[in-house]
Every structure is written in structure tokens, then in C-alpha cells.
Amino acid sequence: MPPISLLLDSKTVSLGVVHARPDDEGFKSLFNSAWDSIKTRTGGSGSALDLVSNFLGRSSTNILMQFLPFQMVRIDHFDEQGHDKASFMLTLSGFQGLQGIFYSGLLNGPDGKPYETEKIGKEVVVIRAKPGQKREEALVVTRVQGTFYGFADLETAHRVLEKKTTPNPDLAKNLGLVNQDQDTYGVLLNRQNSVLRFFEWANRRDFEAIKTAIGEEKLNKLFEHVTLVTWTGDLISDDRMDMQVRWRTDTPESCEALEDALSTARKTLAERGRTGEIRLTTVDTEVLLDIQFTGYRKMLQDYIARP
């Protein structure tokens, strides 16, 4: 696995990692469920998901298991205009044939025409500009050995591939305190309400339900007092993940308000079949949340079954 430090620099406000080892029983269970869904998928729209599932479905054995070990990294940073940008790094150590199919699907646009390419350092990148979008603002992708990179823009691609990144002591310090042996872990520095945008990306439907239950204005004001979020999680099965989330606020009063909001959020998610046991511990300006998330099996099945 390439070191996650490749994507980190002074512009980074959050880092999230998901990784799995060949002996990880939780991911084995998840991949078996995915395989069962792929075998019964009808598709027919010609989407990238159709392409991959049709290829996988030709095999009598679960090719997904050959993905292990794998790792996905997401980082968020702000550009010079203050816009939130996300970049990804996905490593699939197994089955090279599937990697080639996946990457070939990134080379051409919806009209079948190839995207513009450019050489940065030793790598050739694909500039996936949408109609009317400036090339400097487009998503940039490339593949280096078994790792796919998705850069938020051309400037980020140059900064990373040409090794022009600069240190980020605040994020590095907090990352060093997180258990990186877990299936997922991460650090989020709340800058310009980046915590709000991150949770919207992580699970928009669940987060919309939480905003409705708490009140969007109230939640936004509450998040203004959150300074840091860190998390670790262990995938127990294809349907459950146990997580520990640490929230830091700027005052004890904000911490108490956050604890109340998290209790409301937990009730809302429980009604949606998304949570099991929960424990909240508050000390000074920090809230420690231990929680069981459930419902991943159905989410996966619904995703694979979509047209």
C-alpha cells in the first residue's frame, strides 16, 4: 500500500481511510453479500456498474475476494478560493484484469470520446472535464501500479505527483493519536464547516434525516463550535460496524449541546434501522461516542440492484 502521507499537506482539513486485509472476516462477509447480489443483477443500462458486474458474473468463484487487501483514502482540502475539494486514492492489490477494465472506463466521456491527457512527472493523467468546465477545475485520474488516484483538480495532481506538498502538523498530530489498525479511521479538522460537508458526503440520506430531527439551523450553529472529529471503526459483519467517534468542541457548554444532539441523532437512526447499542461519555470539551451501525447489507444490495 502506498503511504497515505502522499496526499497530505498543509491544505488538508480531513483524512478518511478504509482498508481491509485478506484475513478480515467482516470484509469477507461483505464481499460475499456483494457477490450474491452481482450474480442476480439484471442491469441493462450500460453503466460502469453493468460493465463490472457482467464481467464478474462470468466467473464461478468470487473474484471480489481477490481485491484483498485493499485501501481507500479520501482527503479534503480548500483551494485558493476557499472551495472544498476532495481527492481519492484507491489501492486494489488483487486481480489486475479487473483493474484494467475499471481504468479503461475512466478514459472516455459519456459520448465515447477520449478525455484529454497530460504528463505530470512520470505519470500520464486523464483530465475528465465536463462540458463547459475549465480543464484546471476538472477531476484528474491516473493509475500507478495497483493504485488509482482521483485528484480534485489539476493543481492538486501537480502538487502531489511532483512532490510539492508541505507539512500539516495539526492533522499529523491528531492522526498519530488514532488507532490505524482499525478497518476505518480518520481525522477531520473543522474549517469553514467542513464537518457538515463531510457527513453529507458519508451518508446523505441518513444525514438529511438527522438534520430534520434536530433542525438544520440548530445543527449548523452547533457544528460551528466543533473543532475536531476523529474516528475508528471495525467491520464486524456484512451488516454491522462498531465505531468510536471523538468530538471536540470549543467550550463545555457546546459539548453539552452536542451530546443532546447526538442523542437525538441516535434515536433518528435507530428508527431507520441504522444503529444498535450506543454509549456517550462527556468530559470537559469532548464527547466520546461508542456506537454500533447496522443496515449495511441492505444498502449494498440496493446499490448493486439499481438500474
Side-chain angles (χ1 to χ4, degrees), residues 213-266:
I214 297 175
E216 185 171 359
E217 183 177 353
K218 180 180 179 180
L219 188 62
N220 288 344
K221 289 183 178 179
L222 185 62
F223 278 170
E224 290 176 0
H225 296 279
V226 174
T227 60
L228 173 72
V229 181
T230 64
W231 71 89
T232 59
D234 186 24
L235 188 64
I236 304 300
S237 70
D238 64 335
D239 201 48
R240 171 183 154 193
M241 178 179 285
D242 292 355
M243 296 195 72
Q244 185 176 81
V245 186
R246 185 180 299 275
W247 303 72
R248 183 181 300 164
T249 63
D250 53 8
T251 66
E253 292 75 19
S254 299
C255 195
E256 292 179 5
L258 176 63
E259 183 179 9
D260 291 340
L262 290 174
S263 296
T264 301
R266 188 268 171 182

Side-chain angles (χ1 to χ4, degrees), residues 33-227:
S33 292
W35 181 252
D36 290 340
S37 296
I38 286 172
K39 297 294 287 186
T40 59
R41 173 181 165 82
T42 55
S45 65
S47 65
L49 185 56
D50 276 346
L51 179 68
V52 173
S53 61
N54 288 339
F55 176 79
L56 292 175
R58 300 172 190 168
S59 173
S60 59
T61 59
N62 189 346
I63 295 178
L64 295 177
M65 290 300 181
Q66 298 183 41
F67 281 176
L68 299 175
F70 88 90
Q71 177 173 277
M72 184 182 76
V73 181
R74 171 186 167 120
I75 71 157
D76 287 80
H77 73 272
F78 290 105
D79 63 15
E80 299 302 329
Q81 289 73 43
H83 299 140
D84 190 6
K85 298 291 186 71
S87 297
F88 297 88
M89 182 168 66
L90 175 64
T91 304
L92 300 172
S93 297
F95 200 46
Q96 295 293 320
L98 187 57
Q99 286 192 29
I101 290 177
F102 178 71
Y103 190 62
S104 66
L106 302 175
L107 303 179
N108 301 318
D111 57 1
K113 296 180 180 179
Y115 287 111
E116 178 188 355
T117 61
E118 177 179 322
K119 189 169 184 180
I120 301 179
K122 298 180 180 179
E123 312 302 335
V124 175
V125 303
V126 181
I127 305 171
R128 291 173 52 88
K130 299 176 182 178
Q133 186 181 35
K134 297 179 180 178
R135 67 191 302 273
E136 291 80 11
E137 299 174 353
L139 175 70
V140 177
V141 300
T142 191
R143 179 171 64 150
V144 182
Q145 298 178 350
T147 296
F148 298 88
Y149 292 86
F151 300 108
D153 49 33
L154 202 54
E155 190 272 336
T156 304
H158 278 279
R159 196 169 69 247
V160 173
L161 295 177
E162 294 175 348
K163 298 179 174 56
K164 296 178 179 179
T165 55
T166 53
N168 188 325
D170 195 7
L171 191 140
K173 174 185 176 181
N174 286 287
L175 182 61
L177 301 176
V178 173
N179 182 359
Q180 298 181 25
D181 292 328
Q182 295 288 291
D183 292 336
T184 181
Y185 61 90
V187 175
L188 172 58
L189 307 175
N190 195 21
R191 305 287 188 268
Q192 299 173 224
N193 222 358
S194 54
V195 64
L196 178 68
R197 286 184 286 273
F198 185 88
F199 282 110
E200 285 180 336
W201 167 80
N203 193 321
R204 182 175 295 275
R205 290 184 178 180
D206 283 346
F207 194 64
E208 287 295 330
I210 291 172
K211 285 197 293 186
T212 300
I214 297 175
E216 185 171 359
E217 183 177 353
K218 180 180 179 180
L219 188 62
N220 288 344
K221 289 183 178 179
L222 185 62
F223 278 170
E224 290 176 0
H225 296 279
V226 174
T227 60

